[in-house]
Amino acid sequence: MADFIAGALGGACGVMVGYPLDTVKVRIQTQRNYNGIWHCIYSTYKVERLSGFFKGMSVPISTVSVSSSIVFGMYRNCLYNLCKLKYGTTKVKPSKFDIFLSGYAAGAAQALVSSPADMAKVRLQTQTKAHSSISCSLVARPKYSGPIHCLMTIVKEEGFLGLYRGLCALMFRDCHSFATYFLSYAVLREWFVPEEPNVVGVLLAGGFAGVVAWSIATPMDVIKSRLQVDGVTQRKYRGIIHCVTKSVQQEGVQVLFKGLSLNCLRAFPVNMVVFLTYEAILKQLKPFVV
């Protein structure tokens, strides 16, 4: 239970730190009218001011506690039961493969739960709306008025399964990235914190683990975002393979790495905060856990 609580609080703190850059990342990946990161930031601020960077934030803030709780709780429980099954005791040090498998299972569970919320987040992030200081006479009214309206509209127009558009891509992204995430954190934590845990060691291990995980996840993250946005107007992609081939044909193989630098830039501070909060809460709850 402690891992579920600590994971929930850590994930919530991470979202608040990295959300603005996440919005920029999604827009770069799904829209072709930006020349790069700074052009996207400038354009977003010019048209929508600061509020444009926080579009759809209520969705992950309200659901991240659940999904992050599932990730950390599932990871720890899978690792616990795997060690018990393999070694007959939970007191042994788990192997790197044990950590990888547990992270993989945690990623799969998280993807199943978070897919609808992630869909609404991406749809809202890619929906542009002029700031009130700009004349709105020529600006179309936004399709979605908020997270709940977005989800209801998707169900109405695309059916219930529309909430899970891009789920396979999300599963591919999260399973591999979370397996890498927990494995790299475990290895780096041993390097930076060989004995007693310290703040600097946990911050560095968490930050670098996030960067490594997003380096693995970015190609499928691009495809996932494009599949989720697809369907707002006219459908362009028939599935993952078609989305990959069409995107590469039109924009080159570099399209799969759109937002990579931004993902890594965002991942470092976000995951520093996530793991620092997680470890701190876990330490506080430990005396109350039997």
Side-chain angles (χ1 to χ4, degrees):
M1 182 58 72
D3 289 280
F4 284 97
I5 297 172
L9 294 174
C13 291
V15 168
M16 290 186 284
V17 171
Y19 198 83
L21 286 178
D22 184 65
T23 297
V24 175
K25 180 264 297 185
V26 169
R27 291 190 174 189
I28 287 176
Q29 289 179 338
T30 59
Q31 300 172 6
R32 301 177 66 180
N33 51 323
Y34 300 116
N35 298 327
I37 295 173
W38 291 112
H39 181 234
C40 182
I41 293 173
Y42 172 77
S43 299
T44 300
Y45 180 77
K46 182 180 179 181
V47 177
E48 305 168 75
R49 296 298 189 267
L50 286 176
S51 62
F53 296 99
F54 295 92
K55 278 192 167 182
M57 185 173 174
S58 59
V59 177
I61 282 294
S62 60
T63 60
V64 75
S65 293
V66 176
S67 61
S68 186
S69 174
I70 288 172
V71 166
F72 281 90
M74 178 67 75
Y75 166 72
R76 185 61 65 181
N77 278 279
C78 280
L79 195 59
Y80 178 89
N81 287 296
L82 194 58
C83 288
K84 193 173 183 180
L85 181 66
K86 287 180 65 177
Y87 312 113
T89 177
T90 59
K91 302 299 182 182
V92 298
K93 180 181 177 181
S95 70
K96 292 180 176 60
F97 187 64
D98 296 333
I99 295 171
F100 185 86
L101 283 180
S102 299
Y104 204 92
Q110 196 272 159
L112 288 171
V113 172
S114 68
S115 184
D118 192 65
M119 166 70 84
K121 175 184 77 71
V122 169
R123 290 280 178 97
L124 288 168
Q125 285 177 319
T126 54
Q127 176 178 263
T128 57
K129 177 184 177 183
H131 187 260
S132 58
S133 63
I134 299 175
S135 174
C136 296
S137 58
L138 298 177
V139 179
R141 185 178 179 181
K143 183 173 182 177
Y144 309 117
S145 59
I148 302 301
H149 180 249
C150 178
L151 292 171
M152 292 175 64
T153 303
I154 292 171
V155 172
K156 182 180 178 180
E157 295 181 351
E158 304 169 49
F160 181 76
L161 291 180
L163 296 175
Y164 292 88
R165 189 182 304 283
L167 175 61
C168 290
L170 183 63
M171 290 279 284
F172 277 120
R173 186 198 75 173
D174 284 356
C175 287
H176 292 88
S177 64
F178 275 111
T180 306
Y181 183 57
F182 285 111
L183 177 58
S184 56
Y185 178 73
V187 172
L188 291 168
R189 192 173 182 275
E190 283 189 1
W191 289 355
F192 294 128
V193 193
E195 296 178 3
E196 285 298 314
N198 62 75
V199 172
V200 176
V202 171
L203 286 172
L204 289 175
F208 283 117
V211 171
V212 173
W214 271 108
S215 298
I216 299 294
T218 295
M220 198 51 64
D221 186 54
V222 174
I223 302 305
K224 183 270 303 180
S225 296
R226 292 191 169 205
L227 288 171
Q228 289 176 325
V229 172
D230 195 34
V232 175
T233 52
Q234 184 179 355
R235 292 284 301 277
K236 295 188 297 183
Y237 308 118
R238 296 191 297 269
I240 295 178
I241 302 300
H242 184 238
C243 183
V244 172
T245 54
K246 190 170 182 179
S247 296
V248 171
Q249 286 174 356
Q250 292 179 344
E251 303 172 59
V253 71
Q254 65 270 19
V255 69
L256 298 177
F257 299 94
K258 271 192 170 184
L260 174 60
S261 58
L262 196 58
N263 275 337
C264 292
L265 179 65
R266 179 176 63 94
F268 196 85
V270 166
N271 290 286
M272 284 172 64
V273 171
V274 168
F275 273 107
L276 181 63
T277 305
Y278 172 76
E279 296 277 10
I281 298 297
L282 209 58
K283 186 177 180 180
Q284 295 300 315
L285 292 176
K286 194 173 182 180
F288 303 99
V289 179
V290 180

